[in-house]
Amino acid sequence: MKTAEIARRYLDYFEKKGHTIVPSASLVSDDPALLFTVAGMVPFIPYLSGDVPAPYKRAADNQKCIRTNDIEEVGKTPRHGTFFQMLGNWSFGDYFKKDAIRYAWELLTTPDEDGGLGFDPKDLWVTVYEEDDEAIQLWLEHSTLPEERIQRLGKDTNYWTTGLPGPAGPCSEIFFDRGPAYGIDGGPATDDDRYVEIWNLVFMQYEITNVRSKYEFDIIGDLPAQNIDTGMGLERVAFIKQGVDNMYETDQVRPVLDKAVELSGKRYGENHEDDVRFRVVADHIRSSLMLLSDGVTPANDGRGYILRRLMRRAIRSMRLLGVDGPTFAELFAVSRDAMKESYPVVETDYARLAQYALAEEATFLRTLASGSEILDTSIESAKSTQSTALSGSQAFLLHDTYGFPIDLTLEIAEEAGLTVDRAGFDTLMKEQRDRAKADARSRKGQLADTSIYRDFRALGETVFTGYTDLETESRILGILVDGAPADRASQGQIAEVIVAETALYAESGGQVADKGVIVGPGYELEVLDVQKPVPGLISHTVEVTTGEVAVGHVATTVVDAANRRAAAQAHSATHLVHAALRDTLGKSATQAGSLNRAGYLRFDFSWGQALSPETRSEIEEIANNAVRDDLEVTTRVMSLDEAKAAGAMALFGEKYGDTVRMVDIGGPWSRELCAGTHVSSSAQVGLINLVGESSVGASNRRVEALVGQDAFRELAAERAIVSQLTSGLKIPRDQLPARIAELQANLKAAEKKIAQFEAKALGERVPALAAAAVSAGAYRVVAQSVGTVGSADDLRSLALQIRERLGSDAGVVALGGAAGGRPVVIVATNDAARAAGAKAGLLAKTAAGVLGGGGGGRDDVAQGGGTDASALPTALTSIVSALEGATA
């Protein structure tokens, strides 16, 4: 039974049981405590906790999930994958334990031919929370399980929490027995791989606080309603139903594994280490494809770092399988074909996804090449000092700074006959992880407990009137002071205020929050921020500037009209720039992020190379032509499907409900889903001035623009500068570029002549400096400071000339000087000195340590530097001392 068919049967079954079928939420989680949707229940947390009223009593879904906390186990066990799909059925205050158990058993054991999943009851086991007698009794009543196949387990396995204050409850897990060939008898309590968990039924009924660990917390009472949260692992059911040994061999994953086998020329099933690598490739390619399809792009932090890590682990695994060249073009195409039946977007948007993947692969292959050079230098250095190992710090530097995998460091070092201080590397890695965990705990600890908004949200959605009104009269529904409910707030206090209706725009969709005030009888509040802490609720952070405000007071929200107008200009300009980019670059130049505030816009888009000045000018001209043409701006509210059918762009990274707002500028020329505020016609934008274009990743570019009055001021300032230049140089404006180029050429020529004079003057000092050679052990040494030089290259040239003057004796030249205001030391050795053991790189490093910097290089010539120019005499003396000590 194919994976897509299992999902279809599951959803069909629960739809017949009165469940609303809900599409999968994005892999990018709305929860600020999470980078990704790590479990099927994440999108439903507001409903399960009661913070937001559920729009349905029963629901079922197939949720995409990403989880990387067990990434090192991928490929080693039959069930660990970074991307997985969780089938779930949900009840929000409707049915509870009995029906959850009854539904699960019926679907699992109904024969294939009757639309079920066809599991033999004799292969199924169940675990329950050890104190949940009710669940045991229900299993006995609604299944054919004998009591000995129902096992009681403790909180560590059969009590569900998020790990944070909020909803919790006992759970019951269903396991499939793979048979004696896979392990020992005894049921799931043995914790053996023979028993595969396929479904978890969570009976969510309590609210907990003071969470100290997975099984240490305080139950503070019942949830507002008893809920059911279940999750059936689609990949786990698929590998059982398809008769294969693990999830990597199922129909949605195995094709990638087979392609990796073909590219490597090796066989699957012959070598355990190679098999693990094949599985890692298959899993990580699919996970990367799905993350890209939900708008995540490779980056050095956050979600983008996780994606980058997955891709680089796949490249590393292919390299360890003997493939050094690019493979993503073939691997991603195979994964696309395997996943498109379940997720058509991976085919329709494949050009964009492949662009990111191929660019990331090319970048990392270059990283591997440069990392190999650095590693080769480290190996050569270790051998020159008769060391048999590379330090843990060297391996960590390669991993952390250059992205060079430790596995490759170990492999290459072993080929060179060296070991790596793996313990030292692991210690540094642990320290880095501990810092990251501490930072994550810190950020998590700073997150507001959204349950404080539950009672306010229960009163209904906040009505936003700001599309048509800049003032709206309402009533104060709630006040929060220091994160706790309060009945009033007084002058000077900072508080959060909830009202029933508001004209103030809450930050979203790249548009910053409105500025404004909230006023009422005897009080005035300055609005500092406007946010949506939970879906459907708008909260205003305010400072009480006059009087005292209390719950129940009449309140009028007043928008700063000038700021709103400028923000609307910027947001509409963003749409115009997006359309102009697509006109100029093509449809693959899609939005990857934006920021709009009064007078300014920042727009990120998918593109792999810098824009030429001509292209920038063309984009700017197209956008401003749209302003000149005074295009009508219209908005319509419709279903998401209707908007997509009309050609509206659903931007990656954005979340959309069933009903959306579509913004047209000039009809279909610019048609996007957008909840922001806009001008009524494009001429009201005024002016768009592109002021910057830069890279924000391997496949992302960013343009920045000033809008309206801010754009005019910038152009006026540039005009003033041009006027000053033309006046000072006494030339017409159209001759200014040529005149500046002429001045630059003259300046370069003068600098070249000065450098020649300086080099000649330095060269004239060669005889005197060579004559100043002194004995230091077995060496003749010139160790002199020559003062200020034009560059380190000048100092290097002088050192090499002096070295030639030292003849056949073991000669070492160490010259110090100041170049660009910083101290520099050049060390040069001749053949006789090197034969006697003198190494220029080590000597330069010695001097650099005195100067407060670093240095090194080849044995014949090397350079060091630092920050303390006053220490140059001491640095040169240290070289002489080192040579005397080496002789001794």
Side-chain angles (χ1 to χ4, degrees), residues 755 758-759 762 789-799 801 815 826:
E758 290 177 342
L762 280 175
V789 294
S791 68
D793 287 341
D794 293 338
L795 198 62
R796 180 186 299 264
S797 175
L798 184 60
Q801 292 179 60
L815 298 184
I826 299 291

Side-chain angles (χ1 to χ4, degrees), residues 89 95-104 201 203 228 230:
N89 58 284
Y95 62 85
F96 200 50
K97 289 184 185 179
K98 182 183 76 172
D99 284 336
I101 288 171
R102 184 167 60 87
Y103 291 153
L201 316 179
F203 311 127
I228 287 296
T230 83

